[in-house]
Amino acid sequence: MKLRAALATAALAGSVAAVSTPAMARDTISIVGSSTVYPFATVVAERFGANSDFPTPKLESTGSGGGLKLFCQGIGTQHPDITNASRRMKPSEYDLCQSNGVEDITEFRIGSDGIVIASSSEAENLDITLEQLFLALGKQVPDPDDESKLIDNPYENWSDVDSSLPNKPIMVMGPPPTSGTRDAFVELAMQGGCEDLPAVANMSEDDMEGVCHSIREDGAFIEAGENDNLIVQKLIDDTDMFGVFGYSFLEENSDRLQAARLNGMVPTVENIAADEYPVARSLFFYVKKAHIGVVPGITEYTEEFTSAGAMGPNGYLKAVGLIVPPRDALMDLQDKAAEMPNLSKDELM
């Protein structure tokens, strides 16, 4: 009887181990999140894998919102260690993390990017204000006959919005709602062109955002998933199409694509870094501190990402399009990598 009991106990322990081992044993860093940060993080991961004793981290492009949702699901190696974001974590996402036991998080602001409205270099370019952009893409816009009222967007061509714009159908490819690029686009570009219109001037902040952040769903705006390279290819193939994505993708394809003027300004490294370009935003990654020491290499990866060799004025990330932080900000990042301070909710408010 004792032997049978011992054998049964051993079998049970073995079966538990067999089930739990895939979730518990992991020697490769798992990174999810923004498609905009993905190319930069991929370069860091490849350098890290090639020049250290640690495996090359595994990266997945899920969008900023999708990545933060995965990151905040819990502690344990079945969950990601790091998430990239092309916008800052929201207080509601911080609360989700806390409720699932992801209590200790370190935030890294790794640089800047601008969101561009791009087209084929062979197309007629746009010179457009943020207000005109909202009128072209908003789900509901002011009635041309009574600017105090909102109606479903009636505009079919850019020239319907303003006669100075191209007489072409409004067709814009852009990211889905899970993307940080989409979040930044609606907050900076759409809201920037909408919030002073008479039809929303007297609304509550929530109602105003409900109007200003809503993009039309009648085919003029086409969601392209998290694949910015797909948008680039569509623009090259169709000179009537415009696309919304990060400045780094424009720079990578500058021989084939051009950027629209927004409020009279073409995006450049200088005006994005100075926050003068109207649709500039910061890029981030977040580290789950509970996984440090459990999954090997997290601290070392963070140190590589924030090193002068990666993010300095002559670093390899600058060479691939990241608008790197100034010297003082980079030194602060390096201090963060060494100390891993906890992010507080007050910092996000």
Side-chain angles (χ1 to χ4, degrees):
M1 292 291 291
K2 288 182 179 180
L3 178 60
R4 284 200 298 272
L7 289 172
T9 300
L12 177 61
S15 65
V16 169
V19 169
S20 62
T21 295
M24 295 301 294
R26 176 157 60 78
D27 64 358
T28 301
I29 299 169
S30 173
I31 304 171
V32 295
S34 165
S35 63
T36 301
V37 180
Y38 178 85
F40 306 126
T42 297
V43 173
V44 176
E46 290 171 350
R47 295 270 186 140
F48 178 71
N51 299 325
S52 74
D53 295 329
F54 301 101
T56 300
K58 177 186 175 184
L59 285 93
E60 185 178 358
S61 177
T62 62
S64 297
L68 282 158
K69 184 176 181 180
L70 291 168
F71 179 83
C72 290
Q73 281 184 352
I75 298 295
T77 54
Q78 67 271 38
H79 303 297
D81 311 307
I82 295 171
T83 189
N84 302 318
S86 55
R87 56 157 173 85
R88 201 170 198 192
M89 178 184 282
K90 298 176 182 178
S92 60
E93 292 164 334
Y94 183 89
D95 289 341
L96 176 63
C97 271
Q98 299 297 304
S99 68
N100 287 328
V102 185
E103 297 176 353
D104 297 332
I105 303 163
T106 301
E107 176 188 76
F108 293 86
R109 179 191 181 279
I110 59 169
S112 303
D113 189 27
I115 298 172
V116 302
I117 312 298
S119 61
S120 166
S121 56
E122 298 180 3
E124 182 178 359
N125 203 5
L126 278 178
D127 187 344
I128 192 169
T129 66
L130 294 186
E131 180 178 322
Q132 290 167 342
L133 185 63
F134 171 76
L135 293 176
L137 296 179
K139 185 173 183 179
Q140 287 196 311
V141 298
D143 186 337
D145 298 323
D146 184 352
E147 291 188 348
S148 66
K149 295 181 180 179
L150 293 170
I151 60 171
D152 291 340
N153 197 319
Y155 302 121
E156 296 182 359
N157 292 345
W158 293 101
S159 56
D160 296 337
V161 174
D162 191 286
S163 60
S164 67
L165 299 176
N167 185 23
K168 290 183 176 182
I170 299 170
M171 293 193 300
V172 178
M173 292 190 75
T178 54
S179 168
T181 300
R182 171 73 165 262
D183 290 337
F185 178 70
V186 296
E187 290 170 13
L188 297 172
M190 297 287 284
Q191 185 172 325
C194 165
E195 59 190 357
D196 293 329
L197 294 173
V200 300
N202 296 319
M203 289 184 176
S204 69
E205 183 175 348
D206 287 345
D207 288 344
M208 180 272 290
E209 288 186 359
V211 173
C212 294
H213 291 195
S214 295
I215 296 179
R216 60 195 298 180
E217 300 171 347
D218 57 359
F221 185 87
I222 305 157
E223 290 184 5
E226 296 289 353
N227 188 346
D228 292 333
N229 287 312
L230 174 63
I231 302 178
V232 170
Q233 190 57 52
K234 290 287 187 181
L235 300 185
I236 293 167
D237 293 341
D238 187 347
T239 57
D240 287 344
M241 185 77 72
F242 293 86
V244 176
F245 46 72
Y247 175 78
S248 61
F249 283 92
L250 173 71
E251 195 168 54
E252 284 178 19
N253 297 277
S254 59
D255 58 329
R256 301 183 292 176
L257 299 181
Q258 61 186 343
R261 286 182 176 270
L262 293 181
N263 285 359
M265 188 170 290
V266 174
T268 66
V269 168
E270 292 75 20
N271 62 33
I272 291 170
D275 285 334
E276 294 174 353
Y277 179 66
V279 198
R281 42 83 182 268
S282 297
L283 306 179
F284 300 85
F285 70 84
Y286 295 87
V287 174
K288 189 176 295 179
K289 290 177 62 177
H291 286 194
I292 295 174
V294 177
V295 177
I298 294 175
T299 299
E300 292 81 359
Y301 169 83
T302 302
E303 290 171 348
E304 172 63 28
F305 210 134
T306 58
S307 68
M311 294 180 61
N314 299 307
Y316 60 78
L317 289 178
K318 183 177 181 180
V320 295
L322 181 67
I323 299 172
V324 298
R327 181 176 180 274
D328 289 350
L330 178 56
M331 293 178 68
D332 289 342
L333 281 173
Q334 292 168 348
D335 289 343
K336 271 193 168 185
E339 299 168 6
M340 290 287 183
N342 284 342
L343 175 69
S344 71
K345 187 175 180 180
D346 287 346
E347 295 176 71
L348 304 175
M349 303 300 285

